[in-house]
Each structure stands twice: as C-alpha cells, then as structure tokens.
Amino acid sequence: METTLRGVGVSHGVAIGEVRHMGTAVLEPPAKQIPAEEAEREQGRARQAVEAVAADLIARGNLAGGEAQHVLEAQAMMAQDPELIADVERRIAVGSTAERGVYDAFAAYRALLANAGEYLAGRVADLDDVRNRIVARLLGVPMPGVPDSDEPYVLIARDLAPADTALLDPALVLGFVTEEGGPTSHSAILARALGVPAVVALPGAGELAEGTVIAVDGSTGEIFVEPSAEKRAEMESAAAARKAALSALSGPGTTSDGHKVPLLANVGGPGDVPAAVEAGAEGVGLFRTEFLFLDDSKQAPSEEKQIAAYRAVLEAFPEGRVVVRVLDAGADKPLDFLTPADEPNPALGVRGLRSLLDHPDVLRTQLTALSKAAQGLPVHLEVMAPMVADRADAKAFADACREAGLQAKFGAMVEIPSAALRARSILREVEFLSLGTNDLAQYTFAADRQVGAVSRLQDPWQPALLDLVALSAEAARAEGKSCGVCGEAASDPLLACVLTGLGVTSLSMGAASIPYVRATLAKYTLAQCERAASAARAADSAEEARVAAQGVLSGE
C-alpha cells in the first residue's frame, strides 16, 4: 500500500529504487587495561591509524575534486588535531588500548563540540565519522560506509559523512534519504554538486525495510513508499519533461518578459569551475576562499599560492562577474594562526571580518593577491566581507580594500539580521550586498543549520527571512546598488522567482541547480514574481509561503 512521508528536499530530481541502508557504525571497543610496557606500542598503533585515515580522506578528496575535496581535507585535519592525538596518547599511557583511547578521546571532544554553539555542534557528524574510521582500522573490521551493490538503489542513512557523500557513484546511488541534516549541511551541498536527488531530516527513515521500493522527490521532499504504477509513471514523466525543458533552454537568466537576473555559481576553488562553465553560469557569485587557508591551519598561504588559485578562477570567466568572499575563518573553520581557541561560543564570537580586522596583515595579503591575480584580465572582480554587522564593519573593510590598492567593487555579506535591518547605512560604505541566506536563517531563528530537529526554522521560505531579504533589496534599490543572493535559497527554482520578485538582482548557487532555476524563471513575468513574493511574505509559515507563491504562479 502506497504511503507518503515528507522530509526536506535538498537536491532536485526524482529517484525510484530499492532501499539500501548505510553500513553499521563501529561498535564501542571493550574497556580493558593493558600493561604499562605495552603503552608505547599501542600509542604507535593509534598514530598509524590516524595517519592512515587522514591519508584516505585526502585521497578520497583528490578523487572527488571540487568542493568535496576541500571538505574532506578539512576532515583529515580534524583527524590529525594535535590536542586530540595528545589526549589519545595520555589515555593509552594510563592503561587504555589504542582503540579505547581513540574512542574515549573523541567522545570527550564530541561533548565539547555539541555544547560549543551552532557551528561547532554541526561538526559532530564529521567527527563521529573520523572516529569510526580510526577505530575500524584499529579493530581490523570493515569501514562503515556505502553498501556494496551491483544494482542501483536509494541509500538510507541516519546521516552521511562528507567522505561517503563525496564518492557516491550516481550510476548506482539513485538518490539518498537521511534522518538528520538540514538544507545547508555538508551532505546537502555535496549532493547538489553531484546532481543526486536527496531528502534530509526525514524522521524514521531508518525504519524503512531493506529492499523496500521508494520514490524520492528531491524538490518537494516527498517520499512515496511502495508507490503505485500510476505514481511511478507520473513521477518519471515529470522528471523526463523537466530534463527535456532544461536541455532546450540556455543563455542568461531572465524572466519571460525580459527582466535580467544573472545566474552565477558558488565555487570553492578551481576544481568547481568546469561544472559552473558547463551549466552556463554567467560568473561566480560566491568564491569561498577559506578552503585555500584550511590546507595548513598553522599559517596563511603565501601570496604567490593565493594568486595562482584566484587567477585560475578569474580566467574562466572573461568579461564575467566574479565575486570573491575574503577569508571566513572561525566557528566551524578554526585556524590556529587566526582564531581564538577558548571562545565559549565561536559562532557568536570572533569570526569572519572580525578575525581579519584583528589580523590586518592576513587581510592585506589576501586583498593584494586578489589585485595581482586580476591584473590584465577582462574580468569584473568584486570582493566582499563575511559577517558584516554594521556600517563601522563595512567602512573598515572598504578602507582596507582602498589601502591595498584593490581595483574592484567591494561589498558586504548580509548574514546577520542587523545588517539587513541597517542595509542602507551599510551601503553608504560599500557598493553591493550579497545575502548569505544559510547563516542569515540560523542567526535569525537561532537554529543550527546542521540539526535536523530544527530544520523547519532553517527553511529559506520562512516569511521572517523573506522580510529580511526584502529589506536588503529595497535598501539597495534606494541607493542604486545591487543586492544578490548567494545562499542555498537561490538553488530552489520556485524560491528564485520569489527572490526576484523581492528585488534581488542576481542569484548564485551550486552549478547543478542553474539549469533548473533558468528554466523556471523563464516561465514567469517579473509582475508574477512580485505577486508571488507578496503572497509568500503574507503567509505565517514556510509551508504556507511556498503554497501561496505556487498558487500565484500557477494561476490558482
């Protein structure tokens, strides 16, 4: 009998297939004591396992490339954290086995992360995955992970670590469903990059029996268990029609009456560029430069290394617009040379621009490297600061850009509610705004973007979030300046129309979403988008806003 479940759709597309569950997590190793003379040998075993797991994560990243590579390299750094390794060795020195020392040390660190604020709590799943891989190697048992199968399937998991998501084979993994996670979690972002349909935050997903046939709609978040032949045909027909429409449409983003909405790509480095170019991106709306700095948490990359990485991206978009976000360190991206180690709540502490203003040499080097990377290129370079709270922040960043001799537009990200509320004041210091809806949502609703239990508050359709977008766009229009969206909200085709109706001037997203957004925008006039935006803002919940906007655009 067909039943319907609903989670949060995070990656477009339809997948129909049998359920396969993620491999079982590593069991807790026994707490037995070892003689003192064996401690040194056990410490050596632990170090070897840590290095092997870190090397495996880096190798997986090299195979995956793009944004996945940066995420996995950061996870490898987590495995090699000196304080964590020292704690493991201390536990072994007083009698723990290597595997028990690792398990207990990671448990203590896990508790710290879980209580350290929104961003660091969101890294718990990544930490658990590293622990499981190290303990599995020490115990000599298979790594937890994606099941072996010769036939295509839909993967079910409590959560997916980046190491598993990065190397999913789209030919075998038709789609995936998780109990945890949110629309802006690492796994969701990587799923969109892979083009794999995905639904997260589905309570009870683990109870779906192995081999059960399900149909997954990654756009709506609906899961149909044992779908009827009619439902399968309906979904497959809709998917085929969507694919045909996407392939038939190309060119710049525009509404049906010719209102231009540039469609840009979010990239993490040169590895993400080919997919963006293939998708027809009109430029880059968010170049996340922090991954370049995560290669070595002890020191900033040299000016020469930065120039090479920046130029590789800038060269790919001649005459296009490339918006670079300067280093966003802190919170879930701590750097030993930049961020405080003892903050009680890093997400609300010295993060982003605050860190850079405390270390002006790091900011100056990055701005100089960007200036040199753009020399001689016909690219439209724009540089923006993360975590701008007020006009004083915006002025400090603009002054730093001028002092570095940067020949580019400079702007501010709107990720903190105060920036949206005082957007017009901020725009007296900078030339554009870019809305990071992921962080703006979690700071507006006090809802961690990695926690499935609060996923309804991370939903970018929340009317309060749309109000903040509208305030920012209205301020930009009043000042004759631009206001784009570079958060994950832009990747939802229907919401892209609403954002356009709110006055947003460009949309930036993962490359895989660009064709969907282009095709949907082309169906509607600007006036229709504006009416849909008004209807969404008048609603009282995210679901009501989505339904109201859909009703306007469908003519109901």
Side-chain angles (χ1 to χ4, degrees), residues 14-37:
V14 169
I16 302 175
E18 293 187 0
V19 163
R20 294 285 183 274
H21 286 269
M22 197 72 172
T24 305
V26 176
L27 297 176
E28 180 179 346
K32 64 180 183 181
Q33 291 290 108
I34 60 169
E37 59 269 21

Side-chain angles (χ1 to χ4, degrees), residues 489-501:
S491 65
D492 179 335
L494 182 61
L495 185 50
C497 295
V498 167
L499 295 172
T500 298

Side-chain angles (χ1 to χ4, degrees), residues 136-428:
R137 184 169 289 274
L138 287 166
L139 291 175
V141 300
M143 293 282 180
V146 178
D148 290 327
S149 176
D150 295 328
E151 298 296 324
Y153 59 91
V154 177
L155 180 63
I156 306 292
R158 182 169 185 80
D159 202 354
L160 280 173
D164 297 313
T165 316
L167 293 184
L168 290 179
D169 181 356
L172 283 177
V173 182
L174 302 172
F176 67 74
V177 180
T178 66
E179 290 192 42
E180 296 294 330
T184 59
S185 64
H186 276 160
S187 291
I189 292 170
L190 293 176
R192 286 188 284 271
L194 288 167
V196 176
V199 171
V200 301
L202 180 70
E207 298 172 12
L208 292 168
E210 190 87 0
T212 302
V213 175
I214 64 172
V216 179
D217 189 325
S219 299
T220 66
E222 291 175 304
I223 307 291
F224 301 95
V225 183
E226 298 290 2
S228 64
E230 292 78 10
K231 173 58 72 175
R232 293 178 65 157
E234 174 191 328
M235 294 181 71
E236 288 170 346
S237 175
R242 187 181 303 164
K243 185 175 181 180
L246 292 175
S247 61
L249 192 65
S250 60
T254 179
T255 60
S256 62
D257 57 340
H259 176 72
K260 292 182 179 180
V261 187
L263 302 181
L264 312 171
N266 294 342
V267 304
D272 293 332
V273 167
V277 172
E278 184 179 352
E282 298 170 61
V284 172
L286 173 62
F287 180 3
R288 302 179 180 96
T289 60
E290 60 268 18
F291 293 118
L292 182 63
F293 289 75
L294 290 172
D295 288 344
D296 184 353
S297 68
K298 303 296 183 184
Q299 60 183 359
S302 67
E303 183 179 303
E304 291 71 25
K305 183 176 181 180
Q306 292 189 54
I307 291 171
Y310 303 150
R311 194 170 180 90
V313 174
L314 296 175
E315 287 177 335
F317 296 95
E319 305 294 341
R321 177 187 179 201
V322 175
V323 183
V324 179
R325 180 177 69 190
V326 294
L327 175 61
D328 184 13
D332 65 332
K333 300 181 284 285
L335 295 172
D336 293 346
F337 66 89
L338 199 67
T339 49
D342 56 353
E343 286 190 301
N345 191 338
L348 301 180
V350 184
R351 178 194 165 189
L353 180 61
R354 299 167 187 174
S355 293
L356 293 174
L357 294 178
D358 281 350
H359 297 81
D361 53 323
V362 175
L363 177 58
R364 188 182 308 111
T365 299
Q366 184 171 25
L367 294 174
T368 301
L370 284 165
S371 180
K372 292 180 179 179
Q375 285 178 1
L377 297 179
V379 69
H380 300 287
L381 175 63
E382 302 184 15
V383 182
M384 62 186 180
M387 303 300 290
V388 171
D390 57 15
R391 183 174 180 175
D393 279 351
K395 183 179 187 303
F397 178 66
D399 288 345
C401 290
R402 294 188 191 97
E403 289 168 10
L406 189 63
Q407 298 299 307
K409 287 186 176 181
F410 29 88
M413 291 197 71
V414 177
E415 301 164 286
I416 302 173
S418 63
L421 293 168
R422 300 290 295 171
R424 194 161 184 179
S425 172
I426 288 171
L427 282 165
R428 295 195 175 101

Side-chain angles (χ1 to χ4, degrees), residues 128-143:
D128 287 348
D129 180 61
V130 172
R131 177 204 64 201
N132 289 347
R133 291 174 185 279
I134 296 171
V135 172
R137 184 169 289 274
L138 287 166
L139 291 175
V141 300
M143 293 282 180

